[in-house]
Amino acid sequence: MSWGSPDPMTRRVGMSCYSTEAEPISHYAITRAPRLDVGSPGAFALAKSWISECASNHATCNKTKRESPPELPTRVLEILEEDDNGGGAKALPSVRLLETNGSRGEYAALSYIWGCPQYCCTTSLNYEEYKREIRASSLPQSIADGVRCAQQLGLRYLWVDSFCIIQDSPADKKRELSRMASNYRRAQITISAAKPVRCNEGFLQTRQVPGLVNGLFRVRVLCPKDHGRMSKLREEYRPNIYFPGRSKRGSVSQEFEGSVWEIGDEAWHAEPSVVHLVAADWNEPVCNDPLQAIHPDREPIGDRAWALQELLASPRLLHYGSRQMVWRCYDKTAADGGRQPEHDRGVHYDYNEYYRDDHSDDETAAELGAMWQKIVTAYSVRTLTFPSDKLDALAGVVDELNRSMTGQQYLAGLWRDCLIDNLSWYQDMGAEGHEAISLNPNRSCPSWTWIGVDGRVDFCPGEEVIAEIKSAVVTRVETIQVRHHCPCLVVEGNIVIQLPVLQLEFHEVAAKFRCSGPGMSMETIPNIIYLDGGMRSPALSRQIVGGRPTLVLSPGIRFAELTRGGCWRNVHTPNASRGLVLVPVPVAGREHVYRRVGFFAVDLECGLPEGRWPNTPGDLRMPHQKAMDPSEFGELWTEALEEEVITII
């Protein structure tokens, strides 16, 4: 709807509509208002019907064989009988911590955001007390709502990390964190508190969505009784809209000649139906339409790193979002009212397909590498309250992969059997969200793993592997507390690798490279250096050049080739060279020791003409050298490569 003069688009508002089931027009206006009372009996009844439908009818969901009932996790919260709260009102039932000792039963798992310290959680001091009873009044609100939800769904047990893991026991945390993915996989349902950003907020409150109560406008319209005939006429007319060669005016009169419109008053409902209209900005993301169900990935829990493995492992999720309840499984995504969210087959679906398939020895490494790259990219854009949790928050998925494929060695974020592909990670400072890219001071890690960086991580493996791994070890993984600061993750290890190393000094090829930077388009630039940690890379130094602060790339960097060929930005580049950007590290008594500082991609047949740097924050520069033509550059590069055995720390 638009109005205004002289341009009618100067004042414009999009409109969405909904109706109720009781209105005759509900056959035409098929969208219903979201059920804002997500804790109502009707909402729980719908959730139970979704669970039943999935268990009985969904082919993809039932491909993974699940024991029924499954073995319970090491500990669960057992929901005790509820008592009257005076005057007949039902109080929230108390719970107790139950050691299951391998017993079986159906249970729910809770996925939620801690967001703040949980003072009510299981420790070695209150363990015996909690085995007797945990008072309902002491539970954080999101966990109390999880208990109520599980009970209303007919389940006796609930798994919650803060209560089912002994929080002050490093040994128990290490053991139980590795089992987290299997705990979510065996659950009958994962209850996802998608909206609250703190555990004390709760998620069963009635939602408040402006513009939905009675709509922004209400329109009364008459509609025909024979909705079937009307729908048929509408479908017959619809193709005319898409064929500009046919007259719309003529088609309309032809299609509706002798139709319901020319029948007497008895063909119409006597009373007008009410259609509710709400404002919707369709030029913005769909979440600006109050009727549109927000996809769970766009809710606050979609930003939480811990929640990714909970999503990956859960066959069924019941999300309590910002507007309404949303169901998600491998075969279906549905919302309780409103415009339905898209059923996307993202990393959640891909991981399930990979997990349940049998893998031959020849396929395992390649498939694992491709799947792990998707997981890492999805994980890297999410956030952690404690940076030291970077490894722990994926430990459950790692354990699942280890059990499903014997013989795979995990190396602090990388896998040994597909290590070359895993080493081909990079961070693009020209991409959306580049502001989050940095090196995290609370993680001391080997330079070859992406664990040490924050921000999005992508991968660019090649077709032909040039390098050969001689050895790869992780000698230490430990979380230490440094006085009153946040815990610090310490990882130590090295990779010994044989690969071609460019013997030219950087200034000899500098003119052929550009460095990814904010606001810089990469589409037309074939030779790129991606710095780990972006503008906080140790390969950059701040200098004053021409009277202005300037970031200068170290002239001592070296290029080491990992692969050749493959695709680059959906274009096949058979002569592409890809590998690591390294800086030498002086180590007494040892030679050829390097630290990784970035990743490079070079097209040896497509060079850059001499040109100016794009304007980017910080005025990023490299040593200058006159330009050379592509063939000359390709020959120079290839001839200057020499095999070396190096150690990367």
Side-chain angles (χ1 to χ4, degrees):
M1 183 170 66
S2 62
W3 68 97
S5 179
D7 181 5
M9 303 301 284
T10 56
R11 298 180 179 90
R12 177 178 57 178
V13 60
M15 305 296 292
S16 288
C17 70
Y18 69 89
S19 65
T20 64
E21 289 282 357
E23 298 285 352
I25 203 170
S26 62
H27 297 289
Y28 311 105
I30 60 174
T31 300
R32 305 290 174 260
R35 193 198 310 261
L36 302 181
D37 186 2
V38 296
S40 66
F44 287 124
L46 178 61
K48 292 172 75 172
S49 72
W50 279 335
I51 296 173
S52 177
E53 177 194 355
C54 179
S56 302
N57 303 327
H58 288 179
T60 304
C61 298
N62 291 308
K63 283 182 180 178
T64 302
K65 292 183 179 180
R66 177 180 179 271
E67 295 179 338
S68 183
E71 182 178 335
L72 291 168
T74 305
R75 306 176 192 92
V76 291
L77 293 181
E78 182 182 16
I79 302 172
L80 305 176
E81 293 296 326
E82 59 186 356
D83 299 320
D84 285 346
N85 188 19
K90 294 294 186 180
L92 180 71
S94 295
V95 296
R96 68 173 179 175
L97 187 62
L98 177 67
E99 294 178 344
T100 61
N101 298 315
S103 58
R104 295 180 176 273
E106 297 290 357
Y107 67 97
L110 182 65
S111 175
Y112 67 107
I113 301 174
W114 283 42
C116 58
Q118 287 203 42
Y119 299 106
C120 183
C121 60
T122 299
T123 66
S124 55
L125 294 178
N126 59 26
Y127 186 74
E128 293 300 324
E129 175 190 349
Y130 280 6
K131 286 169 62 178
R132 293 188 294 272
E133 183 180 11
I134 304 172
R135 294 193 310 276
S137 59
S138 67
L139 295 173
Q141 191 59 51
S142 287
I143 297 174
D145 285 352
V147 169
R148 180 187 170 199
C149 189
Q151 183 193 44
Q152 292 297 316
L153 294 176
L155 297 170
R156 183 181 176 186
Y157 305 114
L158 176 68
W159 189 88
V160 184
D161 56 0
S162 58
F163 283 88
C164 299
I165 301 174
I166 303 175
Q167 298 298 314
D168 61 349
S169 170
D172 192 71
K173 289 183 71 172
K174 182 178 180 180
R175 180 176 60 254
E176 294 302 317
L177 288 177
S178 69
R179 298 174 179 174
M180 277 187 68
S182 63
N183 290 342
Y184 283 95
R185 184 168 299 281
R186 296 198 304 267
Q188 186 183 79
I189 185 70
T190 294
I191 301 165
S192 171
K195 176 182 179 289
V197 296
R198 294 178 181 83
C199 64
N200 56 12
E201 293 179 6
F203 59 86
L204 290 180
Q205 306 94 331
T206 299
R207 303 297 189 257
Q208 302 294 326
V209 182
L212 278 184
V213 180
N214 294 325
L216 182 61
F217 302 106
R218 285 185 293 172
V219 179
R220 296 182 179 275
V221 296
L222 287 175
C223 62
K225 295 178 181 178
D226 190 352
H227 62 83
R229 186 177 181 186
M230 183 64 186
S231 298
K232 181 176 181 295
L233 290 170
R234 182 182 59 193
E235 292 301 320
E236 291 174 350
Y237 167 66
R238 184 172 296 174
N240 299 329
I241 300 173
Y242 303 104
F243 291 94
R246 298 177 62 182
S247 167
K248 291 183 180 179
R249 184 182 300 275
S251 299
V252 171
S253 61
Q254 180 181 2
E255 294 290 346
F256 285 84
E257 182 179 355
S259 73
V260 69
W261 302 105
E262 297 185 359
I263 299 176
D265 292 344
E266 68 277 3
W268 301 85
H269 286 280
E271 295 295 327
S273 294
V274 176
V275 178
H276 301 265
L277 302 179
V278 297
D281 191 345
W282 292 327
N283 293 322
E284 296 295 332
V286 292
C287 60
N288 283 342
D289 177 358
L291 285 179
Q292 176 65 55
I294 300 176
H295 194 281
D297 289 346
R298 299 190 182 99
E299 295 281 5
I301 204 165
D303 292 330
R304 176 177 173 256
W306 278 97
L308 178 63
Q309 69 174 353
E310 298 161 9
L311 166 67
L312 294 178
S314 298
R316 308 181 186 104
L317 295 104
L318 191 60
H319 295 276
Y320 285 86
S322 300
R323 292 178 182 157
Q324 73 264 71
M325 185 175 65
V326 175
W327 169 269
R328 191 179 193 182
C329 65
Y330 302 129
D331 278 346
K332 179 178 180 177
T333 302
D336 187 6
R339 292 171 57 201
Q340 299 297 296
E342 178 185 0
H343 179 59
D344 63 324
R345 294 194 167 187
V347 67
H348 172 227
Y349 182 88
D350 293 340
Y351 179 74
N352 176 63
E353 289 280 293
Y354 177 82
Y355 176 79
R356 71 166 184 246
D357 288 346
D358 294 327
H359 305 278
S360 67
D361 292 339
D362 294 336
E363 295 174 337
T364 297
E367 291 181 348
L368 175 61
M371 186 67 251
W372 188 247
Q373 290 164 25
K374 293 179 182 179
I375 292 173
V376 170
T377 297
Y379 180 70
S380 64
V381 298
R382 295 175 175 234
T383 59
L384 288 162
T385 302
F386 299 105
S388 58
D389 289 343
K390 193 82 168 185
L391 285 174
D392 288 344
L394 270 184
V397 169
V398 171
D399 181 69
E400 275 202 331
L401 294 174
N402 264 326
R403 286 187 287 107
S404 65
M405 299 171 300
T406 57
Q408 299 293 323
Q409 183 185 4
Y410 181 65
L411 299 163
L414 285 67
W415 292 89
R416 176 64 172 82
D417 282 8
C418 50
L419 191 52
I420 299 299
D421 284 355
N422 281 189
L423 284 170
S424 301
W425 61 270
Y426 68 94
Q427 294 189 286
D428 188 353
M429 283 294 293
E432 182 180 356
H434 62 82
E435 300 88 355
I437 295 176
S438 67
L439 296 173
N440 196 295
N442 290 307
R443 293 192 291 268
S444 174
C445 304
S447 63
W448 41 262
T449 177
W450 52 269
I451 293 295
V453 301
D454 285 336
R456 183 183 175 96
V457 170
D458 288 287
F459 290 82
C460 185
E463 289 179 331
E464 180 187 0
V465 175
I466 303 298
E468 178 185 355
I469 302 296
K470 297 297 184 181
S471 69
V473 295
V474 173
T475 57
R476 181 188 181 193
V477 177
E478 184 181 0
T479 300
I480 62 174
Q481 188 75 41
V482 183
R483 295 184 180 178
H484 301 295
H485 298 286
C486 288
C488 181
L489 175 64
V490 178
V491 180
E492 295 177 357
N494 64 76
I495 293 176
V496 179
I497 183 171
Q498 180 176 328
L499 74 178
V501 178
L502 194 69
Q503 300 302 308
L504 298 174
E505 296 294 331
F506 179 53
H507 68 84
E508 298 179 74
V509 294
K512 281 296 177 183
F513 282 95
R514 295 296 181 264
C515 201
S516 81
M520 185 176 182
S521 173
M522 303 298 155
E523 297 299 330
T524 59
I525 302 177
N527 302 340
I528 301 291
I529 294 175
Y530 297 97
L531 296 176
D532 302 343
M535 294 301 179
R536 295 173 178 82
S537 169
L540 291 173
S541 61
R542 298 181 179 274
Q543 300 180 16
I544 302 298
V545 178
R548 59 182 296 187
T550 305
L551 292 173
V552 177
L553 192 59
S554 169
I557 66 173
R558 305 290 299 275
F559 299 93
E561 221 175 48
L562 292 175
T563 61
R564 289 240 175 153
C567 290
W568 176 244
R569 301 193 180 274
N570 299 319
V571 177
H572 187 250
T573 52
N575 292 291
S577 170
R578 298 184 179 91
L580 306 178
V581 181
L582 307 169
V583 293
V585 178
V587 178
R590 297 174 63 186
E591 296 182 343
H592 306 298
V593 179
Y594 295 90
R595 284 187 63 84
R596 169 184 166 141
V597 294
F599 183 81
F600 73 86
V602 174
D603 189 340
L604 300 178
E605 289 188 349
C606 181
L608 281 172
E610 185 174 11
R612 296 183 178 180
W613 283 86
N615 294 324
T616 60
D619 195 17
L620 189 61
R621 296 172 180 262
M622 290 188 294
H624 189 66
Q625 169 73 8
K626 71 175 184 177
M628 59 188 78
D629 63 55
S631 60
E632 181 186 354
F633 173 66
E635 292 175 4
L636 176 66
W637 180 278
T638 303
E639 292 174 358
L641 292 173
E642 186 175 302
E643 289 282 334
E644 290 186 17
V645 177
I646 66 173
T647 301
I648 307 175
I649 61 174

